[in-house]
């Protein structure tokens, strides 16, 4: 397939050599025209890790770094995004009190910040439950998210947040209080009206209109690379294929492609996305 004259970046993708297709998914992404990916930590339990302290997330993070290296060996530039999935709160509280679970999650996020500070990762991941929970769990989850924003501000990195559907407008004030520029807070699985930096799944019906408006956003697959859920959320080829369709139809110009896949992620994450 003919290569693009611009990079193609999947802003939120998981690759799992043990529980998923691993290198084959990476090769599919590359063959379809993908060049860069923000490689996001999978939830600890999906990797067989069951934390009892924040330090236990080190195993999860080190697995992600190893996968990033495997991606590079297969021709794709992978930038690790390390963090603690907000659904960890529900898993951990099966084994411990709520406050203890929150403390472990905060410690895990602080550890992720250390990896970023050491140059091993480029951003952290946090959020709050995207499903109904008790008010107490919601408040504690927001406290964990506030800690993530503070870690990111102290480290000078971006945060991807996994949370409920909708604009999540209240996170703006949380980021401002933490001292983190709102532009560096990325809403994963976003809706267009979020005041955060939106990352839209590569089939979202609003993408053509946002391109026409010159809006800054990124694209993602949220591919889970889980053999028990093949293709969820959409497959590893989806971002490059959707980009090709938009580009060849004239909806997406080369300038727009560079803005979506190169300039915006470079600016948000403080990285260099360019073609060799």
């Amino acid at each position: 397939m003919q290569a693009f004259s611009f990079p193609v970046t999947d802003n939120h993708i998981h690759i799992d050599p043990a529980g998923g297709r691993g290198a084959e998914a990476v090769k599919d992404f590359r063959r379809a025209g993908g060049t860069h990916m923000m490689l996001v930590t999978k939830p600890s339990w999906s990797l067989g890790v069951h934390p009892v302290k924040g330090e236990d997330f080190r195993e999860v993070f080190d697995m992600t770094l190893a996968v990033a290296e495997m991606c590079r060996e297969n021709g794709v530039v992978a930038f690790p995004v390390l963090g603690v999935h907000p659904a960890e709160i529900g898993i951990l509280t099966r084994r411990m009190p709520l406050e203890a679970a929150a403390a472990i999650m905060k410690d895990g996020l602080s550890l992720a910040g250390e990896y970023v500070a050491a140059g091993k990762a480029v951003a952290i991941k946090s959020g709050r439950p995207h499903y109904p929970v008790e008010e107490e769990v919601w408040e504690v989850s927001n406290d964990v998210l506030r800690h993530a924003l503070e870690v990111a501000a102290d480290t000078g990195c971006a945060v991807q947040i996994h949370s409920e559907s909708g604009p999540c407008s209240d996170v703006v004030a949380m980021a401002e209080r933490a001292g983190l520029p709102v532009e560096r807070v990325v809403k994963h699985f976003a809706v267009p009206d979020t005041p955060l930096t939106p990352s839209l799944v590569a089939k979202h019906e609003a993408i053509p209109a946002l391109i026409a408006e010159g809006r800054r956003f990124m694209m993602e697959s949220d591919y889970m690379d889980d053999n028990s859920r093949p293709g969820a959320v959409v497959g590893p080829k989806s971002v490059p294929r959707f980009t090709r369709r938009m580009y060849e139809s004239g909806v997406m110009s080369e300038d727009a492609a560079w803005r979506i896949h190169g300039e915006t992620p470079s600016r948000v994450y403080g990285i260099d996305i360019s073609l060799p």
Side-chain angles (χ1 to χ4, degrees):
M1 186 173 291
Q2 184 176 358
F4 294 112
S5 56
F6 47 81
V8 173
T9 304
D10 190 326
N11 183 61
H12 188 106
I13 186 170
H14 308 280
I15 300 294
D16 185 350
R21 296 181 62 234
E24 292 307 309
V26 177
K27 291 174 184 176
D28 280 351
F29 175 73
R30 178 179 53 77
R31 284 192 290 256
T35 59
H36 298 72
M37 59 173 61
M38 308 307 295
L39 181 71
V40 182
T41 304
K42 293 192 75 173
S44 64
W45 68 85
S46 71
L47 298 173
V49 179
H50 304 284
V52 295
K53 57 185 183 300
E55 177 66 22
D56 293 340
F57 281 98
R58 187 177 298 277
E59 182 177 359
V60 177
F61 299 161
D62 286 345
M63 288 183 192
T64 308
L65 298 187
V67 172
E69 183 57 33
M70 179 272 287
C71 293
R72 296 175 194 124
E73 290 170 356
N74 283 281
V76 172
V77 180
F79 295 101
V81 177
L82 308 180
V84 179
H85 196 290
E88 296 272 3
I89 197 86
I91 303 295
L92 290 169
T93 51
R94 296 175 187 172
R95 300 186 277 117
M96 64 188 70
L98 180 60
E99 292 301 329
I104 289 174
M105 293 173 73
K106 287 181 180 180
D107 287 348
L109 288 162
S110 295
L111 179 63
E114 292 176 15
Y115 275 72
V116 175
K120 296 179 179 180
V122 301
I124 64 175
K125 170 189 173 177
S126 183
R128 57 195 182 195
H130 61 279
Y131 45 84
V133 294
E134 298 84 356
E135 185 64 25
E136 183 183 22
V137 174
W138 181 254
E139 291 302 323
V140 168
S141 295
N142 272 317
D143 189 44
V144 172
L145 174 56
R146 281 189 285 270
H147 179 74
L149 296 169
E150 291 166 359
V151 169
D154 291 344
T155 310
C157 72
V159 179
Q160 283 199 17
I161 66 166
H162 181 123
S163 61
E164 76 281 5
S165 297
C168 297
S169 301
D170 62 311
V171 178
V172 171
M174 295 167 68
E176 289 173 345
R177 282 194 295 271
L180 181 67
V182 174
E183 180 185 50
R184 306 205 79 185
V185 183
V186 179
K187 177 61 173 74
H188 152 59
F189 213 87
V191 293
D193 60 347
T194 180
L196 310 175
T197 296
S199 180
L200 300 171
V201 172
K203 61 179 181 178
H204 201 290
E205 64 277 3
I207 289 177
L210 296 181
I211 292 172
E213 293 169 14
R215 278 278 303 277
R216 286 197 175 274
F217 67 93
M218 294 179 282
M219 289 169 54
E220 65 177 61
S221 63
D222 193 21
Y223 176 61
M224 296 181 182
D225 202 16
D226 182 342
N227 287 333
S228 69
R229 301 178 65 189
V233 167
V234 292
K237 301 177 184 178
S238 60
V239 170
R241 278 184 168 176
F242 186 83
T243 296
R244 186 175 297 278
R245 188 159 67 249
M246 293 291 98
Y247 180 65
E248 292 180 350
S249 68
V251 172
M252 180 188 295
S253 66
E254 184 166 340
D255 284 348
W258 270 102
R259 183 173 63 250
I260 294 163
H261 292 297
E263 295 167 11
T264 299
S266 293
R267 180 167 155 177
V268 169
Y269 296 107
I271 57 181
D272 177 32
I273 293 183
S274 57
L275 294 178

